[in-house]
PDB file of all heavy atoms in Angstrom:
ATOM      1  N   GLY A1408     -21.620  -3.763 -10.352  1.00 69.00           N
ATOM      2  CA  GLY A1408     -21.865  -3.269  -8.971  1.00 69.00           C
ATOM      3  C   GLY A1408     -22.906  -4.104  -8.229  1.00 69.00           C
ATOM      4  O   GLY A1408     -22.749  -4.364  -7.053  1.00 69.00           O
ATOM      5  N   ILE A1409     -23.888  -4.601  -8.957  1.00 69.00           N
ATOM      6  CA  ILE A1409     -24.914  -5.360  -8.334  1.00 69.00           C
ATOM      7  C   ILE A1409     -24.435  -6.695  -7.794  1.00 69.00           C
ATOM      8  O   ILE A1409     -24.780  -7.225  -6.741  1.00 69.00           O
ATOM      9  CB  ILE A1409     -26.109  -5.636  -9.357  1.00 69.00           C
ATOM     10  CG1 ILE A1409     -26.791  -4.301  -9.702  1.00 69.00           C
ATOM     11  CG2 ILE A1409     -27.077  -6.645  -8.755  1.00 69.00           C
ATOM     12  CD1 ILE A1409     -27.834  -4.493 -10.732  1.00 69.00           C
ATOM     13  N   SER A1410     -23.346  -7.254  -8.517  1.00 67.00           N
ATOM     14  CA  SER A1410     -22.760  -8.490  -8.054  1.00 67.00           C
ATOM     15  C   SER A1410     -22.064  -8.347  -6.711  1.00 67.00           C
ATOM     16  O   SER A1410     -21.834  -9.377  -6.090  1.00 67.00           O
ATOM     17  CB  SER A1410     -21.821  -9.015  -9.147  1.00 67.00           C
ATOM     18  OG  SER A1410     -20.699  -8.146  -9.239  1.00 67.00           O
ATOM     19  N   ALA A1411     -21.791  -7.171  -6.224  1.00 65.00           N
ATOM     20  CA  ALA A1411     -21.056  -6.973  -5.038  1.00 65.00           C
ATOM     21  C   ALA A1411     -22.007  -7.332  -3.795  1.00 65.00           C
ATOM     22  O   ALA A1411     -21.533  -7.439  -2.674  1.00 65.00           O
ATOM     23  CB  ALA A1411     -20.665  -5.559  -4.858  1.00 65.00           C
ATOM     24  N   SER A1412     -23.338  -7.649  -4.032  1.00 68.00           N
ATOM     25  CA  SER A1412     -24.164  -8.049  -2.981  1.00 68.00           C
ATOM     26  C   SER A1412     -23.775  -9.283  -2.229  1.00 68.00           C
ATOM     27  O   SER A1412     -24.148  -9.548  -1.130  1.00 68.00           O
ATOM     28  CB  SER A1412     -25.627  -8.178  -3.484  1.00 68.00           C
ATOM     29  OG  SER A1412     -25.676  -9.179  -4.527  1.00 68.00           O
ATOM     30  N   VAL A1413     -22.973 -10.125  -2.941  1.00 73.00           N
ATOM     31  CA  VAL A1413     -22.490 -11.398  -2.373  1.00 73.00           C
ATOM     32  C   VAL A1413     -21.574 -11.095  -1.114  1.00 73.00           C
ATOM     33  O   VAL A1413     -21.495 -11.947  -0.291  1.00 73.00           O
ATOM     34  CB  VAL A1413     -21.786 -12.250  -3.441  1.00 73.00           C
ATOM     35  CG1 VAL A1413     -20.436 -11.656  -3.720  1.00 73.00           C
ATOM     36  CG2 VAL A1413     -21.622 -13.647  -2.933  1.00 73.00           C
ATOM     37  N   TYR A1414     -21.041  -9.919  -1.077  1.00 70.00           N
ATOM     38  CA  TYR A1414     -20.109  -9.564   0.095  1.00 70.00           C
ATOM     39  C   TYR A1414     -20.953  -9.598   1.367  1.00 70.00           C
ATOM     40  O   TYR A1414     -20.448 -10.091   2.344  1.00 70.00           O
ATOM     41  CB  TYR A1414     -19.532  -8.155  -0.189  1.00 70.00           C
ATOM     42  CG  TYR A1414     -18.581  -7.780   0.837  1.00 70.00           C
ATOM     43  CD1 TYR A1414     -17.427  -8.415   0.993  1.00 70.00           C
ATOM     44  CD2 TYR A1414     -18.832  -6.564   1.618  1.00 70.00           C
ATOM     45  CE1 TYR A1414     -16.415  -7.992   1.898  1.00 70.00           C
ATOM     46  CE2 TYR A1414     -17.917  -6.176   2.595  1.00 70.00           C
ATOM     47  CZ  TYR A1414     -16.697  -6.885   2.683  1.00 70.00           C
ATOM     48  OH  TYR A1414     -15.764  -6.453   3.564  1.00 70.00           O
ATOM     49  N   SER A1415     -22.155  -9.215   1.345  1.00 72.00           N
ATOM     50  CA  SER A1415     -23.029  -9.218   2.578  1.00 72.00           C
ATOM     51  C   SER A1415     -23.299 -10.592   2.948  1.00 72.00           C
ATOM     52  O   SER A1415     -23.258 -10.935   4.244  1.00 72.00           O
ATOM     53  CB  SER A1415     -24.380  -8.467   2.282  1.00 72.00           C
ATOM     54  OG  SER A1415     -24.144  -7.171   1.954  1.00 72.00           O
ATOM     55  N   VAL A1416     -23.519 -11.480   2.038  1.00 75.00           N
ATOM     56  CA  VAL A1416     -23.756 -12.934   2.329  1.00 75.00           C
ATOM     57  C   VAL A1416     -22.535 -13.540   3.015  1.00 75.00           C
ATOM     58  O   VAL A1416     -22.685 -14.326   3.996  1.00 75.00           O
ATOM     59  CB  VAL A1416     -24.135 -13.743   1.106  1.00 75.00           C
ATOM     60  CG1 VAL A1416     -24.390 -15.212   1.381  1.00 75.00           C
ATOM     61  CG2 VAL A1416     -25.385 -13.096   0.464  1.00 75.00           C
ATOM     62  N   ILE A1417     -21.380 -13.216   2.490  1.00 75.00           N
ATOM     63  CA  ILE A1417     -20.126 -13.767   3.074  1.00 75.00           C
ATOM     64  C   ILE A1417     -19.996 -13.345   4.594  1.00 75.00           C
ATOM     65  O   ILE A1417     -19.604 -14.158   5.440  1.00 75.00           O
ATOM     66  CB  ILE A1417     -18.927 -13.450   2.245  1.00 75.00           C
ATOM     67  CG1 ILE A1417     -19.042 -14.060   0.769  1.00 75.00           C
ATOM     68  CG2 ILE A1417     -17.642 -13.841   2.969  1.00 75.00           C
ATOM     69  CD1 ILE A1417     -18.036 -13.590  -0.132  1.00 75.00           C
ATOM     70  N   LEU A1418     -20.160 -12.106   4.843  1.00 76.00           N
ATOM     71  CA  LEU A1418     -20.000 -11.520   6.163  1.00 76.00           C
ATOM     72  C   LEU A1418     -21.022 -12.181   7.058  1.00 76.00           C
ATOM     73  O   LEU A1418     -20.777 -12.455   8.241  1.00 76.00           O
ATOM     74  CB  LEU A1418     -20.122  -9.999   6.192  1.00 76.00           C
ATOM     75  CG  LEU A1418     -19.023  -9.291   5.473  1.00 76.00           C
ATOM     76  CD1 LEU A1418     -19.266  -7.765   5.515  1.00 76.00           C
ATOM     77  CD2 LEU A1418     -17.740  -9.582   6.144  1.00 76.00           C
ATOM     78  N   ALA A1419     -22.251 -12.360   6.643  1.00 75.00           N
ATOM     79  CA  ALA A1419     -23.280 -13.068   7.410  1.00 75.00           C
ATOM     80  C   ALA A1419     -22.923 -14.470   7.759  1.00 75.00           C
ATOM     81  O   ALA A1419     -23.176 -14.940   8.866  1.00 75.00           O
ATOM     82  CB  ALA A1419     -24.657 -13.001   6.736  1.00 75.00           C
ATOM     83  N   MET A1420     -22.264 -15.165   6.834  1.00 77.00           N
ATOM     84  CA  MET A1420     -21.804 -16.495   7.063  1.00 77.00           C
ATOM     85  C   MET A1420     -20.839 -16.636   8.149  1.00 77.00           C
ATOM     86  O   MET A1420     -20.850 -17.527   8.981  1.00 77.00           O
ATOM     87  CB  MET A1420     -21.323 -17.134   5.760  1.00 77.00           C
ATOM     88  CG  MET A1420     -22.290 -17.416   4.653  1.00 77.00           C
ATOM     89  SD  MET A1420     -21.549 -18.002   3.153  1.00 77.00           S
ATOM     90  CE  MET A1420     -20.813 -19.436   3.637  1.00 77.00           C
ATOM     91  N   VAL A1421     -19.893 -15.635   8.205  1.00 77.00           N
ATOM     92  CA  VAL A1421     -18.926 -15.555   9.261  1.00 77.00           C
ATOM     93  C   VAL A1421     -19.600 -15.364  10.595  1.00 77.00           C
ATOM     94  O   VAL A1421     -19.260 -16.012  11.593  1.00 77.00           O
ATOM     95  CB  VAL A1421     -17.862 -14.483   9.008  1.00 77.00           C
ATOM     96  CG1 VAL A1421     -16.938 -14.345  10.156  1.00 77.00           C
ATOM     97  CG2 VAL A1421     -17.164 -14.724   7.758  1.00 77.00           C
ATOM     98  N   ARG A1422     -20.597 -14.480  10.640  1.00 76.00           N
ATOM     99  CA  ARG A1422     -21.304 -14.267  11.851  1.00 76.00           C
ATOM    100  C   ARG A1422     -22.105 -15.483  12.309  1.00 76.00           C
ATOM    101  O   ARG A1422     -22.140 -15.857  13.584  1.00 76.00           O
ATOM    102  CB  ARG A1422     -22.322 -13.073  11.676  1.00 76.00           C
ATOM    103  CG  ARG A1422     -23.155 -12.879  12.928  1.00 76.00           C
ATOM    104  CD  ARG A1422     -22.274 -12.379  14.127  1.00 76.00           C
ATOM    105  NE  ARG A1422     -23.020 -12.272  15.319  1.00 76.00           N
ATOM    106  CZ  ARG A1422     -23.167 -13.244  16.234  1.00 76.00           C
ATOM    107  NH1 ARG A1422     -22.713 -14.453  15.984  1.00 76.00           N
ATOM    108  NH2 ARG A1422     -23.815 -12.943  17.394  1.00 76.00           N
ATOM    109  N   ASP A1423     -22.606 -16.310  11.359  1.00 76.00           N
ATOM    110  CA  ASP A1423     -23.307 -17.500  11.697  1.00 76.00           C
ATOM    111  C   ASP A1423     -22.392 -18.585  12.294  1.00 76.00           C
ATOM    112  O   ASP A1423     -22.794 -19.352  13.128  1.00 76.00           O
ATOM    113  CB  ASP A1423     -23.979 -18.107  10.440  1.00 76.00           C
ATOM    114  CG  ASP A1423     -25.131 -17.174   9.949  1.00 76.00           C
ATOM    115  OD1 ASP A1423     -25.677 -16.446  10.766  1.00 76.00           O
ATOM    116  OD2 ASP A1423     -25.449 -17.244   8.757  1.00 76.00           O
ATOM    117  N   CYS A1424     -21.176 -18.586  11.799  1.00 75.00           N
ATOM    118  CA  CYS A1424     -20.293 -19.791  12.162  1.00 75.00           C
ATOM    119  C   CYS A1424     -19.526 -19.604  13.467  1.00 75.00           C
ATOM    120  O   CYS A1424     -19.049 -20.560  14.034  1.00 75.00           O
ATOM    121  CB  CYS A1424     -19.321 -19.975  11.010  1.00 75.00           C
ATOM    122  SG  CYS A1424     -20.159 -20.619   9.487  1.00 75.00           S
ATOM    123  N   PHE A1425     -19.285 -18.263  13.791  1.00 75.00           N
ATOM    124  CA  PHE A1425     -18.304 -18.022  14.925  1.00 75.00           C
ATOM    125  C   PHE A1425     -19.026 -17.091  15.915  1.00 75.00           C
ATOM    126  O   PHE A1425     -19.238 -15.909  15.680  1.00 75.00           O
ATOM    127  CB  PHE A1425     -17.068 -17.441  14.449  1.00 75.00           C
ATOM    128  CG  PHE A1425     -16.350 -18.235  13.411  1.00 75.00           C
ATOM    129  CD1 PHE A1425     -16.450 -17.951  12.031  1.00 75.00           C
ATOM    130  CD2 PHE A1425     -15.561 -19.359  13.820  1.00 75.00           C
ATOM    131  CE1 PHE A1425     -15.842 -18.831  11.155  1.00 75.00           C
ATOM    132  CE2 PHE A1425     -14.927 -20.132  12.937  1.00 75.00           C
ATOM    133  CZ  PHE A1425     -15.091 -19.848  11.550  1.00 75.00           C
ATOM    134  N   GLU A1426     -19.335 -17.654  17.127  1.00 76.00           N
ATOM    135  CA  GLU A1426     -19.955 -16.907  18.158  1.00 76.00           C
ATOM    136  C   GLU A1426     -18.877 -16.085  18.967  1.00 76.00           C
ATOM    137  O   GLU A1426     -19.106 -15.083  19.508  1.00 76.00           O
ATOM    138  CB  GLU A1426     -20.755 -17.748  19.152  1.00 76.00           C
ATOM    139  CG  GLU A1426     -21.507 -17.049  20.238  1.00 76.00           C
ATOM    140  CD  GLU A1426     -22.575 -16.136  19.597  1.00 76.00           C
ATOM    141  OE1 GLU A1426     -23.171 -16.414  18.569  1.00 76.00           O
ATOM    142  OE2 GLU A1426     -22.895 -15.146  20.261  1.00 76.00           O
ATOM    143  N   ASP A1427     -17.660 -16.740  19.198  1.00 79.00           N
ATOM    144  CA  ASP A1427     -16.585 -16.121  19.837  1.00 79.00           C
ATOM    145  C   ASP A1427     -16.097 -14.848  19.105  1.00 79.00           C
ATOM    146  O   ASP A1427     -15.823 -14.989  17.950  1.00 79.00           O
ATOM    147  CB  ASP A1427     -15.495 -17.080  20.083  1.00 79.00           C
ATOM    148  CG  ASP A1427     -14.273 -16.519  20.837  1.00 79.00           C
ATOM    149  OD1 ASP A1427     -14.375 -16.420  22.021  1.00 79.00           O
ATOM    150  OD2 ASP A1427     -13.282 -16.151  20.160  1.00 79.00           O
ATOM    151  N   GLU A1428     -16.055 -13.754  19.838  1.00 79.00           N
ATOM    152  CA  GLU A1428     -15.684 -12.488  19.187  1.00 79.00           C
ATOM    153  C   GLU A1428     -14.335 -12.451  18.568  1.00 79.00           C
ATOM    154  O   GLU A1428     -14.137 -11.961  17.487  1.00 79.00           O
ATOM    155  CB  GLU A1428     -15.786 -11.367  20.199  1.00 79.00           C
ATOM    156  CG  GLU A1428     -17.236 -11.009  20.677  1.00 79.00           C
ATOM    157  CD  GLU A1428     -17.205  -9.805  21.536  1.00 79.00           C
ATOM    158  OE1 GLU A1428     -16.183  -9.402  22.090  1.00 79.00           O
ATOM    159  OE2 GLU A1428     -18.357  -9.215  21.777  1.00 79.00           O
ATOM    160  N   ALA A1429     -13.351 -13.031  19.257  1.00 81.00           N
ATOM    161  CA  ALA A1429     -11.958 -12.984  18.793  1.00 81.00           C
ATOM    162  C   ALA A1429     -11.857 -13.885  17.517  1.00 81.00           C
ATOM    163  O   ALA A1429     -11.206 -13.471  16.478  1.00 81.00           O
ATOM    164  CB  ALA A1429     -11.020 -13.522  19.825  1.00 81.00           C
ATOM    165  N   LYS A1430     -12.519 -15.022  17.533  1.00 82.00           N
ATOM    166  CA  LYS A1430     -12.485 -15.846  16.302  1.00 82.00           C
ATOM    167  C   LYS A1430     -13.237 -15.192  15.219  1.00 82.00           C
ATOM    168  O   LYS A1430     -12.755 -15.309  14.054  1.00 82.00           O
ATOM    169  CB  LYS A1430     -13.082 -17.241  16.599  1.00 82.00           C
ATOM    170  CG  LYS A1430     -12.237 -18.160  17.414  1.00 82.00           C
ATOM    171  CD  LYS A1430     -12.894 -19.550  17.555  1.00 82.00           C
ATOM    172  CE  LYS A1430     -12.004 -20.493  18.380  1.00 82.00           C
ATOM    173  NZ  LYS A1430     -12.536 -21.871  18.443  1.00 82.00           N
ATOM    174  N   ARG A1431     -14.422 -14.595  15.471  1.00 81.00           N
ATOM    175  CA  ARG A1431     -15.058 -13.848  14.406  1.00 81.00           C
ATOM    176  C   ARG A1431     -14.270 -12.740  13.826  1.00 81.00           C
ATOM    177  O   ARG A1431     -14.320 -12.600  12.541  1.00 81.00           O
ATOM    178  CB  ARG A1431     -16.399 -13.335  15.035  1.00 81.00           C
ATOM    179  CG  ARG A1431     -17.316 -12.748  13.897  1.00 81.00           C
ATOM    180  CD  ARG A1431     -18.824 -12.590  14.460  1.00 81.00           C
ATOM    181  NE  ARG A1431     -18.886 -11.608  15.443  1.00 81.00           N
ATOM    182  CZ  ARG A1431     -19.143 -11.757  16.705  1.00 81.00           C
ATOM    183  NH1 ARG A1431     -19.271 -12.993  17.158  1.00 81.00           N
ATOM    184  NH2 ARG A1431     -19.169 -10.728  17.557  1.00 81.00           N
ATOM    185  N   LEU A1432     -13.567 -12.079  14.617  1.00 83.00           N
ATOM    186  CA  LEU A1432     -12.718 -11.001  14.070  1.00 83.00           C
ATOM    187  C   LEU A1432     -11.627 -11.594  13.209  1.00 83.00           C
ATOM    188  O   LEU A1432     -11.252 -11.040  12.112  1.00 83.00           O
ATOM    189  CB  LEU A1432     -12.049 -10.194  15.212  1.00 83.00           C
ATOM    190  CG  LEU A1432     -11.042  -9.110  14.753  1.00 83.00           C
ATOM    191  CD1 LEU A1432     -11.746  -8.055  13.800  1.00 83.00           C
ATOM    192  CD2 LEU A1432     -10.483  -8.346  15.971  1.00 83.00           C
ATOM    193  N   ALA A1433     -10.989 -12.662  13.693  1.00 82.00           N
ATOM    194  CA  ALA A1433      -9.899 -13.309  12.898  1.00 82.00           C
ATOM    195  C   ALA A1433     -10.410 -13.785  11.511  1.00 82.00           C
ATOM    196  O   ALA A1433      -9.767 -13.606  10.511  1.00 82.00           O
ATOM    197  CB  ALA A1433      -9.289 -14.473  13.682  1.00 82.00           C
TER     198      ALA A1433
END
Side-chain angles (χ1 to χ4, degrees):
I1409 296 175
S1410 67
S1412 59
V1413 71
Y1414 186 62
S1415 300
V1416 178
I1417 296 172
L1418 292 177
M1420 291 173 63
V1421 175
R1422 178 63 186 89
D1423 293 337
C1424 294
F1425 302 100
E1426 185 65 30
D1427 180 76
E1428 289 186 344
K1430 286 186 177 181
R1431 188 165 67 248
L1432 175 58

